[in-house]
Amino acid sequence: MPRRRWTSPGHFASFLDAGGLVEVDDEMPDPYRRAAFRLVVRHANGELLAALADRDWVAKAPGLRLKMVALARAQDELGHARSLYRVAADLGGGTDGRLLDDLVAGRGRPAEGILRRSGDWAERVVVDHLADSAALAVQRSIATRCSYGPYRRALLAMLPEEEAHVAVGLTRLQRAALGTPRQRLAIQAAVDRRWQPLLASFGPDDAAEDDELQRWRLIAEPNAAVRDRWVAQTVPLLDELGLSTPERDVAVGAEADAEVARLIDEAAGRRQRTAWVRRAMARPADPWVDQVAPVSAGAGAGGRR
Amino acid sequence: MTGRVDDGPVGSPSLRAHLLALADDEHLMGQRHAEWVGAGPFLEEDLALAGVGLDELSHAAELYGLLVGRSDEPVDRLAIHRSPEAYRSCWLVEYETAEWARAAVRHWCHDTAEQLRWEQLTACPIPEVAALATQVLSEEVDHRAHIDRVLDVLLDGAESRRRIEFALAELWPLAVGQFDPVVEEPAAVAEGLLPASITSLVPRWLVLAAERFPTVDLGRLEGSCAPGQDARTVRHCDFAVVHRRMRSVVDVDPAARW
Amino acid sequence: MTIYEVFLKRDGLAEFRHVGSIEAATDELASVLARECYLRRSEGDRLWLVRRSDVIDPDDGVLFLPATRARRLLDGWDDPPVATAPMPDRLDPDRPDPGRSDHAGRSDDAGDRDQASVGAED
């Protein structure tokens, strides 16, 4: 039974405008439900891909402690993905598993800037700090105002972990930027390569989508505003380390997209090979295995992680 | 090859060799578990396996620390900068698999075997070793609880039980190979640093396996201990790939401190 | 698979708090999996798992205090028993004027439940 219902779009809008929080069992308007679902799923997908990329560096990390840090980060990101998929599953009436299937089927892919597997360890160091601080900027912004209660609570729970990642990432970036001449060169080259994808990770300047999310009070400000604030805070920090940032108009290569595709394809293959476990864990009358849910993550690239 | 940096509390070369083998097992096992992040059957399970992997890596770091002191540099020299023939890991942890059934069975085989191996060390006269063993055993309880609850479910279904039992049969020689001691082991036993050879643990481990997999005829599998492992001096064919991976960053700029 | 709601209690006087949900095949598996999902940094020292289907979710009638029963609020004991002239000197100055009939007994939708409005009993 729905907890609350709104008699007209106007009532719902004024409820949102007054700072009201929508809960999972409210009878929310369908467009709102779809918008919230897309936002949460995209964030979840971004966290999952970050975890996959971090995982691949565990064995390569140049030190046992660094291996542990990489794995702990991957585990946190996986945990974020998990709790976000649960929020989305409750919104869509589906399950975590179906949402993963959506992802491997190419629906609801996140923006290209979030992936991290390419390049060398210097690039890892750069991305570990900058991609997480970019993500943190977005998440803080959403956590202060988002009208969907379960998503906002999930965000608030994960912020301390994200903050810790950013902090440890900064220490590593500082050490590397002040390291051997070769390290310094590698770090600068990594900043040059990753800067544009990082900016892209805030999402496209898609006014229509931002407007919709803002109208539903799901986000407080457009992608561009969060991105510009992050740039203003990040450039001086890099400057202090003797690192410059490239011009903003450098094009993002197709390389990034190919990497997302590879990560997802690999996950798809592995996922297929473990279907027997999910079958074994499902109860006979359990709709869990192939549930059809009313909301779809939708196709195409989206902006938020 | 334990290196000549003796900054830890363990002086005896034979016990050092024994602990190095355990450390290498923990190190590579932790790394293998990490490969399943985002690749297992569902996310809760991946999170659990990542947690186990993190614990194993940490146990490896503590063990390497007992040999060369706890600071990062000597530990990393031991953990990462050795040539393949200097490792003392067993084939079970070197082996690479993309089959989750094998990963799950390996998880159980490794955690039960290491429980018995660590229990031996709680009686070690070197207090640092005994203290670490006690600490590790308290953490291993969770690892066992995790994989046992998973296997409870999987051994209850016909298809999943068939897959698990098939994986067990495949991995059996490697699993028994965990109890393959290093050549220095008899000296450690003679010095009173180790109560007995780890091969003496096999019967107890077989009892655990028989309880866990009651429908498997273990007698049919027994006695086939990883041929060619040769007191842990020969690497499994999958080791080369993982070793290259482990060296891929450190070899680019050996002077770099990350 | 069953969905469980997860509750954690920090130490001391803290109350159990809902922290999320988890999907698992059995109660036993849910218990060990919840550990790595919700307790890997000692976020609590007690854990409850409740099957979502077992959660009793009473309707709004149980939850919300109608404005007319504000006398039940701890600071509502001194309210006038019937709708009479307001006695401003005995009322919290921040409260809406209880004498105004448009406040009393107002039904609300949209979650705008103004528990502070003091209603008069009929």
Side-chain angles (χ1 to χ4, degrees), chain A residues 1 3-7 11 15 25 72 75-76 79 82-83 86 90 95-96 161 281-283 286 288, chain C residues 1-3 21-23 25-26 29 36-38 40-41 43 52 57-60 63 109-111 113:
Chain A
M1 191 177 84
R3 177 63 69 214
R4 290 178 293 191
R5 53 168 61 91
W6 290 270
T7 48
H11 275 131
F15 169 74
D25 46 8
Q75 192 192 26
D76 282 351
R82 194 202 71 86
S83 67
R86 291 248 27 98
D90 288 348
T95 65
D96 310 3
E161 287 178 354
M281 298 235 167
R283 291 285 167 257
D286 202 335
W288 181 68
Chain C
M1 298 286 266
T2 307
I3 298 179
S21 58
I22 194 169
E23 241 180 316
T26 62
L29 194 53
E36 211 61 33
C37 290
Y38 289 104
R40 64 182 185 275
R41 298 206 169 89
E43 290 89 342
R52 179 175 282 181
D57 185 16
D59 65 24
D60 286 4
L63 282 175
D109 59 348
R113 298 177 179 88

Side-chain angles (χ1 to χ4, degrees), chain A residues 37-52 77 80-82 84-85 88 96 98-104 106-111 114-115 260 263-264 297-298 300 302 304-305, chain B residues 43:
Chain A
F37 182 84
R38 273 198 303 273
L39 181 65
V40 176
V41 165
R42 237 176 253 154
H43 184 175
N45 291 347
E47 294 282 354
L48 180 66
L49 288 172
L52 293 177
E77 281 148 0
H80 298 168
R82 194 202 71 86
L84 293 169
Y85 282 127
D96 310 3
R98 190 188 61 80
L99 298 173
L100 289 175
D101 289 339
D102 269 358
L103 177 64
V104 301
R107 292 187 288 272
R109 286 191 180 188
I114 57 97
L115 66 111
V260 170
L263 276 175
I264 294 176
R304 300 197 173 259
R305 68 156 296 209
Chain B
L43 294 178

Side-chain angles (χ1 to χ4, degrees), chain B residues 117-131:
Chain B
R117 289 163 78 188
W118 280 107
E119 276 172 7
Q120 277 196 322
L121 292 172
T122 56
C124 182
I126 300 169
E128 288 87 345
V129 176

Side-chain angles (χ1 to χ4, degrees), chain B residues 12 14-15 18 120 181-182 184-200:
Chain B
S12 155
S14 57
L15 185 62
H18 175 80
Q120 277 196 322
V182 291
E184 295 89 339
E185 194 202 55
V189 177
E191 290 167 51
L193 297 171
L194 201 62
S197 167
I198 58 172
T199 48
S200 71

Side-chain angles (χ1 to χ4, degrees), chain B residues 1-2 20 23-24 27 64 76-88 239 243 247:
Chain B
M1 291 263 297
T2 53
L20 182 66
D24 287 344
H27 177 185
Y64 290 132
D76 290 344
R77 245 195 328 271
L78 198 52
I80 296 172
H81 293 250
R82 270 178 296 159
S83 55
E85 63 275 13
Y87 280 83
R88 289 293 176 267
F239 183 84
H243 191 245
R247 301 294 306 247

Side-chain angles (χ1 to χ4, degrees), chain C residues 11 25 27 66-67 78 89-90:
Chain C
D11 57 358
D27 295 355
D78 280 346
D89 53 329
R90 296 174 65 189

